[in-house]
């Protein structure tokens, strides 16, 4: 199966997106179709056949809309720009703004002319008196004509949808405006007949039933709402746009002769040597091969403290070199860079559909036909109960049509999802799907891998204890010389520590590894040993009080290694995978949020218990193999939704099994691919932040859905005339304004998520 994105035209509301999805899903060879109303796009999973693509376009066209395969990136090495959301949003806002300007130019005099006579506003003499009825009517017709012309899109799309038996928001607007226009034109003919018969009173009464102003104001106010909606839509994609704007436009290539040449970043190829000066952005992902720099990575990781980069350090495209100069070798360019991957993840998340949105889709699918039926019933009822007063029947029928447009219902979920995922990206939390964002809000248990998740994942020297009468420097020199010969992770930790302390290393000859014991060699004519208790005992080395100290360190989850030279104990060095500074605070915060934490690890019980005491997880399961982690997640899922946090290949099955898989950004590609969320900053605090963001987003969606549904429940009866006995009546133009306001309210409410920040309440260790 393959996935293809389509650009879809003609959609205006949730009913449209539901119809497009339904038409596409019915095409043979299509497995799944997901429409994004905000981006006017559709992602289709299909059998890969060109015939199926063509059939999809035909099916969508028959449904009354247009679909064309998305062009994608035209090529080159820059991150894909074809789907740049700001372009579409800006173009839409610009087009609507022009329509709005023209509409207001003619709507204002139309409104003044219609209301001026009733309210006593000053008017030219040619518009005053019963004998000027025809002049007033024809002038209103001329003023409304340009408004209808520039907004003819409503009529074209609306009646096209009706013809294809898929009525949408435009259908309601078109029917309401058309009813006003047709009724008003009919009144013009009645007026002309009355004037021809010399009946000035009859002509005047007919002029009172003109609704050209109603039609014009409906179209103008709906367009005003669409303009604000288009602008707001653009703001919901600010996060993706900001990420795209981070992409550097040029790079400085170091030529073979040592010279430098500035080129567009699209021309950079893997393996190219690039120069980065202070103040410049790193153009692509790569590795420093020469020089030194202090790089600000906050744009991608959220971490405000710049990071020093030296030879061998990895650097990421779009980060900024604050100080220094270095040369780097390009490793990943274009769509393979970390920035491009982040953009892709955020964009994909906004293109998926949260389960809660399916409820809105089901409602929208039947909502518009139901509204049309209600409007017909209201029109007929008013005809009967008003003594065949067609004017009243038309007013209430049109008001019902106009005020019931399901725009707010269709925008309720996708706007919140888009803003929420964008805000998450700003915080270093990449959410791959809307479903994951929704599932995270009611997580009951967070399962945490130990190594690389709770801990740093790299052994570090924690304690250096010299034997009595021995200098610490002598201990380090021997350990450095001996461990330098080994590739074991513990050896690398000791060498890194000794190097950092500026220690020299004793030359070691006859180096050998003793299985299950440690390392041995000869230095300055005497035997050098480095290893566990068993090695020391085999060599007859007296450990003295350090043996008890080693046992104490082992209980803390550390690995003690003894070093001896010439039959004398020099001391011990303890090594451990250190707990990350924020792990305990994150687990404390999760507990305060009502989330249970369980640590899973393949380590032994003693090490696992030591780590648990440091970070305070509610439970720990040690000695677990990869399939065991999967089984543990499956078992925990029986009592509620489970999130799994991990970073290694061995975590991938459990990440895929969990309701929400969370991968540490520094983890393996397999783990990241298996997860639903990725924590760019490798910080467990972001697990709690991700759940908080999910809860805030779901709360926002529910507010939007409640408002959209409550609005229609209240307003449709009022528009139908339920409060007419109390003197409260909604005219079509007021109904149009109210409908527009509902959509603006929903989008504005969603935009409040842009200000979201995690709130830490559980522990002083919790830091943002």
């Amino acid at each position: 199966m393959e996935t293809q994105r389509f650009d879809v035209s003609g959609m205006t509301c949730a009913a449209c997106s539901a119809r497009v999805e339904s038409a596409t899903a019915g095409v043979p060879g299509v497995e799944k179709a997901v429409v994004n109303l905000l981006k006017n796009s559709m992602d289709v999973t299909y059998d890969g056949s060109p015939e199926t693509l063509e059939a999809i376009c035909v099916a969508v066209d028959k449904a009354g809309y247009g679909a064309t395969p998305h062009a994608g990136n035209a090529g080159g090495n820059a991150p894909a720009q074809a789907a740049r959301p700001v372009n579409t949003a800006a173009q839409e806002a610009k087009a609507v703004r022009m329509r709005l300007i023209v509409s207001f130019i003619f709507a204002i005099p139309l409104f003044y002319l219609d209301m001026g006579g009733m309210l006593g506003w000053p008017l030219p003499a040619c518009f005053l008196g019963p004998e000027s009825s025809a002049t007033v009517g024809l002038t209103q017709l001329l003023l409304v004509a340009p408004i209808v012309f520039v907004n003819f899109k409503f009529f074209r799309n609306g009646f096209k949808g009706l013809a294809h038996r898929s009525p949408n928001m435009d259908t309601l607007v078109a029917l309401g405006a058309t009813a006003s226009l047709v009724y008003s034109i009919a009144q013009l003919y009645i007026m002309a007949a009355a004037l021809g018969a010399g009946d000035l009173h009859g002509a005047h009464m007919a002029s009172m039933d003109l609704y050209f102003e109603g039609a014009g104001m409906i179209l103008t106010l709906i367009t005003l709402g669409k303009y604000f909606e288009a602008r707001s839509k653009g703001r919901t994609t600010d996060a993706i746009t900001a990420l795209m704007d981070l992409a550097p436009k040029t790079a400085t290539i170091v030529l073979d002769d040592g010279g430098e040449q500035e080129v567009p970043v699209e021309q950079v190829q893997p393996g190219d040597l690039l120069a980065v000066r202070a103040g410049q952005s790193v153009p692509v992902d790569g590795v420093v091969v020469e020089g030194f720099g202090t790089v600000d990575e906050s744009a991608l990781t959220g971490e405000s403290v710049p990071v020093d980069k030296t030879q061998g350090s990895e650097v990421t495209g779009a980060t900024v070199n604050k100080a220094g100069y270095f040369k780097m070798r390009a490793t990943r360019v274009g769509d393979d860079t970390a920035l491009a991957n982040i953009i892709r993840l955020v964009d994909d998340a906004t293109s998926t559909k949260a389960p809660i949105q399916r409820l809105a889709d089901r409602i929208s699918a039947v909502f518009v036909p139901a509204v049309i039926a209600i409007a017909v019933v209201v029109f007929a009822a008013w005809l009967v109960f008003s003594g065949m007063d067609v004017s009243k029947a038309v007013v209430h029928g049109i008001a019902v049509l106009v005020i019931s447009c399901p725009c707010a219902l269709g925008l309720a979920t996708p706007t919140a999802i888009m803003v929420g995922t964008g805000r998450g990206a700003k915080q270093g939390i990449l959410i791959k799907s809307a479903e994951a964002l929704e599932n995270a809000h009611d997580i009951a248990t967070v399962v945490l891998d130990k190594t690389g998740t709770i801990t740093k994942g790299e052994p570090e020297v924690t304690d250096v204890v010299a034997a009595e009468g021995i200098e610490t420097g002598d201990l380090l020199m021997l350990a450095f010389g001996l461990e330098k010969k080994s590739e074991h992770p513990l050896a690398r930790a000791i060498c890194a520590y000794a190097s950092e302390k500026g220690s020299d290393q004793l030359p070691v000859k006859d180096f050998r590894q003793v299985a299950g014991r440690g390392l041995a060699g000869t230095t300055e004519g005497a035997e050098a040993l480095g290893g566990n208790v068993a090695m020391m005992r085999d060599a007859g080395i007296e450990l003295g009080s350090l043996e008890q100290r080693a046992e104490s360190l082992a209980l803390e989850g550390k690995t003690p290694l003894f070093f001896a030279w010439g039959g004398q104990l020099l001391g011990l060095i303890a090594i451990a995978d250190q707990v990350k500074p924020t792990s305990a605070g994150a687990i404390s915060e999760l507990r305060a949020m009502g989330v249970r934490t369980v640590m899973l690890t393949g380590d032994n019980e003693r090490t696992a218990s030591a780590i648990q005491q440091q970070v305070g997880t509610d439970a720990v399961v040690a000695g677990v193999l990869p399939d065991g982690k999967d089984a543990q997640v499956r078992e925990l899922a029986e009592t509620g939704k489970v999130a799994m946090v991990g970073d290694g290949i061995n975590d991938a099955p459990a990440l895929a099994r969990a309701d929400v898989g969370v991968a540490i950004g520094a983890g393996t590609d397999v783990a990241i691919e298996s997860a639903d969320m990725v924590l760019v900053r490798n910080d467990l605090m972001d697990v709690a932040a991700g759940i908080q963001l999910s809860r805030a987003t779901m709360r926002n969606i529910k507010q939007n859905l409640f408002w959209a549904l409550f609005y229609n429940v209240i307003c449709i009866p009022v528009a139908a005339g339920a409060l007419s006995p109390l003197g409260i009546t909604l005219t079509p133009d007021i109904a149009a304004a109210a409908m527009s306001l509902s959509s603006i309210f929903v989008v504005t409410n969603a935009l409040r998520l842009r200000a979201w920040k995690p709130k830490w309440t559980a522990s002083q260790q919790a830091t943002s």
Side-chain angles (χ1 to χ4, degrees):
M1 288 288 179
E2 296 182 11
T3 299
Q4 172 66 49
R5 177 162 293 183
F6 288 81
D7 295 320
V8 182
S9 59
M11 295 192 300
T12 56
C13 64
C16 300
S17 60
R19 178 65 178 171
V20 171
E21 275 187 8
S22 177
T24 304
V27 175
V30 172
E31 182 180 281
K32 184 176 69 172
V34 179
V35 171
N36 188 312
L37 180 63
L38 278 179
K39 296 192 291 187
N40 292 314
S41 67
M42 174 174 63
D43 289 336
V44 180
T45 303
Y46 73 112
D47 57 13
S49 169
E51 289 76 15
T52 303
L53 285 181
E54 185 176 346
I56 291 171
C57 296
V58 172
V60 173
D61 182 68
K62 286 183 178 179
Y65 306 89
T68 54
H70 187 67
N73 193 23
N77 292 325
Q81 299 289 318
R84 189 179 180 89
V86 70
N87 294 338
T88 303
Q91 290 169 5
E92 181 182 354
K94 184 178 180 180
V96 176
R97 183 171 64 247
M98 289 304 301
R99 287 167 42 203
L100 182 63
I101 292 172
V102 173
S103 297
F104 266 116
I105 288 173
F106 292 95
I108 292 173
L110 175 61
F111 179 81
Y112 189 92
L113 180 60
D114 182 73
M115 302 299 294
M118 291 186 290
L119 299 177
W121 294 346
L123 288 169
C126 62
F127 295 121
L128 299 174
E131 63 278 3
S132 63
S133 298
T135 305
V136 172
L138 289 173
T139 303
Q140 288 188 21
L141 177 60
L142 290 174
L143 288 172
V144 81
I147 301 175
V148 171
F149 178 77
V150 296
N151 293 293
F152 196 73
K153 174 183 177 181
F154 290 120
F155 298 91
R156 182 175 59 253
N157 292 342
F159 287 116
K160 186 177 181 181
L162 191 62
H164 286 89
R165 292 181 298 178
S166 57
N168 52 39
M169 187 215 79
D170 285 350
T171 303
L172 299 181
V173 175
L175 287 174
T178 300
S180 296
L181 292 170
V182 170
Y183 183 76
S184 298
I185 291 172
Q187 292 302 308
L188 278 181
Y189 279 95
I190 293 173
M191 187 189 310
L195 288 173
D199 183 5
L200 292 180
H201 177 71
H204 178 68
M205 293 305 296
S207 69
M208 299 298 292
D209 282 342
L210 295 177
Y211 290 105
F212 289 123
E213 175 266 344
M217 293 306 294
I218 287 172
L219 295 172
T220 300
L221 292 173
I222 295 292
T223 302
L224 176 63
K226 285 291 180 184
Y227 173 65
F228 285 123
E229 186 180 304
R231 289 189 60 186
S232 298
K233 280 182 182 179
R235 293 176 65 193
T236 65
T237 61
D238 279 354
I240 301 177
T241 303
L243 287 170
M244 288 181 170
D245 288 340
L246 289 175
K249 305 300 184 290
T250 62
T252 303
I253 291 182
V254 180
L255 304 176
D256 293 339
D257 61 3
E260 296 180 356
Q261 179 182 357
E262 188 172 286
V263 299
V265 73
E266 293 87 351
Q267 296 182 15
V268 177
Q269 299 295 326
D272 284 349
L273 187 63
L274 308 175
V276 182
R277 291 178 170 80
Q280 291 184 335
S281 294
V282 177
V284 296
D285 296 357
V287 178
V288 176
V289 296
E290 180 185 329
F292 170 85
T294 301
V295 178
D296 180 1
E297 299 180 331
S298 60
L300 296 186
T301 67
E303 180 56 57
S304 59
V305 180
V307 181
D308 291 339
K309 301 291 183 179
T310 57
Q311 184 176 349
S313 300
E314 293 188 355
V315 286
T316 306
T319 56
V320 180
N321 183 27
K322 290 293 187 180
Y325 169 87
F326 60 84
K327 294 179 181 179
M328 59 174 285
R329 185 75 63 186
T331 57
R332 292 187 297 272
V333 301
D335 286 341
D336 294 328
T337 63
L339 175 63
N341 189 48
I342 290 172
I343 294 171
R344 188 160 47 246
L345 285 174
V346 176
D347 189 49
D348 287 347
T350 62
S351 299
T352 58
K353 187 168 293 188
I356 196 172
Q357 189 175 341
R358 295 167 192 156
L359 171 63
D361 290 346
R362 287 195 295 270
I363 295 172
S364 298
V366 298
F367 188 79
V368 176
V371 166
I372 294 174
I374 292 171
V376 171
V377 171
V378 168
F379 177 80
W382 273 98
L383 276 180
V384 173
F385 293 110
S386 65
M388 301 306 290
D389 188 335
V390 179
S391 177
K392 285 186 178 180
V394 167
V395 167
H396 288 96
I398 293 172
V400 168
L401 287 172
V402 174
I403 206 167
S404 305
C405 297
C407 293
L409 192 63
L411 293 170
T413 300
T415 49
I417 291 293
M418 183 166 283
V419 178
T421 52
R423 187 59 188 161
K426 284 282 189 181
Q427 294 287 322
I429 305 168
L430 303 183
I431 302 166
K432 291 187 178 181
S433 69
E435 185 172 4
L437 183 61
E438 177 173 341
N439 285 338
H441 88 282
D442 57 355
I443 289 295
T445 305
V446 171
V447 178
L448 301 160
D449 172 52
K450 180 183 76 70
T451 306
T453 301
I454 292 177
T455 65
K456 296 179 180 179
E458 295 181 0
E460 295 180 358
V461 172
T462 59
D463 301 86
V464 178
V465 184
E468 187 176 352
I470 302 298
E471 294 290 334
T472 300
D474 294 336
L475 170 61
L476 283 179
M477 287 173 62
L478 177 71
F480 195 1
L482 196 57
E483 299 290 351
K484 187 71 173 179
K485 302 284 186 178
S486 173
E487 292 298 324
H488 193 280
L490 298 184
R492 289 199 296 270
I494 291 175
C495 292
Y497 179 83
S499 178
E500 181 183 334
K501 295 298 182 181
S503 172
D504 294 327
Q505 52 181 302
L506 291 176
V508 175
K509 300 178 181 179
D510 304 324
F511 174 80
R512 63 190 185 278
Q513 297 187 12
V514 183
R517 295 291 190 269
L519 309 175
T522 303
T523 181
E524 297 184 0
E527 184 179 44
L529 300 175
N532 54 25
V533 173
M535 172 174 261
M536 297 298 116
R537 285 176 178 168
D538 290 346
I541 305 296
E542 288 292 332
L543 301 179
S545 62
L546 289 189
E547 184 172 3
Q548 185 177 356
R549 179 66 184 276
E551 290 176 358
S552 176
L553 290 169
L555 289 174
E556 297 175 14
K558 301 174 182 179
T559 301
L561 296 176
F562 294 93
F563 292 89
W565 179 54
Q568 181 184 4
L569 180 68
L570 298 188
L572 69 81
I573 297 176
I575 303 163
D577 183 7
Q578 294 281 69
V579 170
K580 293 178 181 177
T582 59
S583 291
I587 290 166
S588 180
E589 184 65 32
L590 287 168
R591 182 180 296 109
M593 293 165 57
V595 179
R596 183 168 177 261
T597 54
V598 177
M599 181 174 69
L600 294 185
T601 177
D603 274 349
N604 57 61
E605 288 279 359
R606 186 170 62 181
T607 301
S609 296
I611 297 298
Q612 183 189 23
Q613 290 177 9
Q614 292 183 57
V615 299
T617 56
D618 296 309
V620 60
V621 182
V624 184
L625 297 175
D627 57 345
K629 291 185 179 182
D630 178 72
Q632 287 290 331
V633 169
R634 188 188 302 113
E635 181 180 333
L636 289 167
E638 295 176 0
T639 59
K641 287 188 176 180
V642 176
M644 170 69 194
V645 188
D647 72 321
I649 293 175
N650 62 333
D651 298 320
L655 289 169
R657 171 72 62 183
D659 295 288
V660 179
V662 183
I664 298 297
T668 64
D669 291 341
V670 175
I672 292 173
E673 287 296 322
S674 302
D676 303 299
M677 292 187 185
V678 179
L679 308 183
V680 176
R681 296 188 294 192
N682 311 318
D683 188 342
L684 277 188
M685 290 302 300
D686 287 339
V687 176
I691 295 175
Q692 287 187 21
L693 174 61
S694 172
R695 292 177 178 179
T697 304
M698 288 305 300
R699 187 163 54 247
N700 192 280
I701 290 173
K702 290 174 181 177
Q703 291 169 352
N704 287 346
L705 288 174
F706 171 80
W707 169 256
L709 293 171
F710 177 78
Y711 168 85
N712 280 296
V713 168
I714 295 298
C715 289
I716 289 178
V718 176
L723 300 182
S724 290
L726 301 177
I728 300 175
T729 301
L730 290 182
T731 59
D733 47 350
I734 295 177
M739 191 283 292
S740 298
L741 286 174
S742 70
S743 297
I744 295 169
F745 175 88
V746 164
V747 177
T748 303
N749 187 50
L751 288 172
R752 291 192 306 113
L753 285 171
R754 290 173 20 138
W756 174 86
K757 289 183 179 179
K759 297 179 180 178
W760 309 131
T761 59
S763 169
Q764 297 180 32
Q765 300 177 58
T767 55
S768 58

